Amino acid sequence: MPVEEFVAGWISGALGLVLGHPLDTVKVRLQTQTTYRGIIDCVVKTYRQESLLGFFKGMSFPIASIAMVNSVLFGVYSHTLLALTATSHQERRAQPPSFTHVFIAGCTGGFMQVYCLAPFDLIKVRLQNQTEPRARPPGSPPPRYRGPVHCAVSIFQEEGPRGLFRGAWALTLRDTPTLGIYFVTYEWLCRQSTQDGQNPSSATVLVAGGSAGIASWAVATPLDVIKSRLQMAGRKPGAYRGVLDCVVSSARQEGLGVFFRGLTINSARAFPVNAVTFLSYEYLLRSWG
Ligand SMILES: CN(C)C(=N)NCCC[C@H](N)C(=O)O
């Protein structure tokens, strides 16, 4: 069993995650709060009220869980390709799989990682939305959650175990097709600028990985908005009844533009995060060779 692919998926994901977390915080706030006029306003207010640390809220759980999430994503992707084409990662440069196989393997990886990702993503989104500064002026109310563990325990106590999977269905709809698009874009761009049988150069991997991130996030953004709103709403009175209800009421109240909230920042974040993720993934696999 190619254990290296799981490990490479973990390390590469963690590197990308740290790099992209500040932009992710801005994106989540823009998607779920109506207090900001735009990206700059959100960045300035976050910095003024919470200092640089505000951009890194909610990062510890994703770092701890990225090992599992990314190793499931890249590992399942690679194993599905192995099952479909009977070729290992090393053999795939000489015998490239069809794009249909790459798409199916990407969708399978995307689908399987959702149930590892869902509770950690929920906690991340709830913590990212706490705008209280760390050093609070005396007498000001404390933030709802004291940290990731307190957040997980509170959700479990208030909403039961299912509460930890709030937004998981929207996450499944977001990640299953878009991870197919992610891997197809990456493979296609690598093949365009690489001679048959050769490994892609580092520059190619960076550009193909970054572009795969942008393409997949551009398609994923509408469901990303819905997912984040469902996660924030929890079981509040008047909360959405499900994915469709959230789609309809968000569109009715805020217009169709609501589905593209966070698109610019998602794309700006997606390029460096996924360029680094794919570069380190390819590099690690080649060095273990
Ligand atoms: C469109 N989607 C959901 C993705 N392309 N997901 C895979 C990339 C995950 C990477 N850690 C990131 O956050 O960009």
Side-chain angles (χ1 to χ4, degrees):
M1 181 173 106
V3 179
E4 308 89 57
E5 306 203 358
F6 285 101
V7 179
W10 163 35
I11 300 178
S12 54
L15 288 172
L17 195 137
V18 176
L19 194 71
H21 196 80
L23 289 177
D24 192 64
T25 302
V26 177
K27 175 202 79 172
V28 166
R29 291 182 174 193
L30 288 173
Q31 287 179 338
T32 55
Q33 301 185 23
T34 44
T35 43
Y36 304 111
R37 287 192 306 274
I39 298 174
I40 309 273
D41 187 42
C42 181
V43 171
V44 170
K45 282 186 177 148
T46 304
Y47 183 73
R48 279 211 190 120
Q49 285 161 18
E50 301 161 63
S51 82
L52 264 187
L53 290 177
F55 296 97
F56 290 93
K57 278 190 181 158
M59 195 175 74
S60 57
F61 257 34
I63 296 262
S65 63
I66 192 79
M68 190 168 59
V69 174
N70 245 34
S71 60
V72 168
L73 170 62
F74 282 87
V76 169
Y77 168 73
S78 191
H79 278 76
T80 309
L81 273 184
L82 182 68
L84 291 170
T85 64
T87 53
S88 68
H89 182 81
Q90 289 83 356
E91 292 160 344
R92 275 179 220 137
R93 288 292 161 217
Q95 296 161 260
S98 72
F99 289 116
T100 310
H101 283 154
V102 171
F103 184 74
I104 296 172
C107 293
T108 313
F111 180 80
M112 299 296 280
Q113 51 110 53
V114 161
Y115 289 86
C116 312
L117 175 63
F120 297 106
D121 191 64
L122 171 72
I123 291 160
K124 173 188 80 81
V125 167
R126 296 256 174 117
L127 293 176
Q128 282 176 317
N129 266 312
Q130 298 201 131
T131 49
E132 292 83 358
R134 264 175 205 239
R136 281 179 298 117
S140 60
R144 183 161 175 214
Y145 303 118
R146 290 195 297 273
V149 175
H150 179 244
C151 180
V153 172
S154 313
I155 297 174
F156 188 86
Q157 282 169 348
E158 289 160 19
E159 305 173 38
R162 285 190 61 195
L164 287 168
F165 287 86
R166 205 158 287 284
W169 178 226
L171 194 60
T172 310
L173 293 175
R174 185 196 81 176
D175 281 10
T176 306
T178 53
L179 279 148
I181 296 172
Y182 181 65
F183 284 105
V184 166
T185 311
Y186 176 71
E187 271 301 312
W188 186 78
L189 287 173
C190 280
R191 287 183 208 175
Q192 290 309 301
S193 33
T194 310
Q195 284 189 340
D196 289 351
Q198 300 289 306
N199 278 321
S201 67
S202 301
T204 302
V205 170
L206 280 173
V207 173
S211 310
I214 294 189
S216 58
W217 275 109
V219 180
T221 298
L223 274 159
D224 192 44
V225 174
I226 300 303
K227 176 221 56 118
S228 303
R229 292 182 162 213
L230 288 166
Q231 288 174 324
M232 278 315 290
R235 245 187 5 195
K236 274 194 223 132
Y240 312 109
R241 286 190 304 276
V243 174
L244 197 60
D245 185 40
C246 183
V247 170
V248 173
S249 41
S250 299
R252 267 205 198 123
Q253 283 161 22
E254 293 160 72
L256 289 179
V258 72
F259 299 118
F260 300 97
R261 239 188 240 171
L263 178 64
T264 315
I265 202 138
N266 248 347
S267 311
R269 173 192 161 278
F271 193 92
V273 169
N274 291 289
V276 166
T277 299
F278 272 105
L279 186 69
S280 42
Y281 177 71
E282 292 280 353
Y283 176 81
L284 288 167
L285 282 182
R286 275 182 224 169
S287 59
W288 290 332

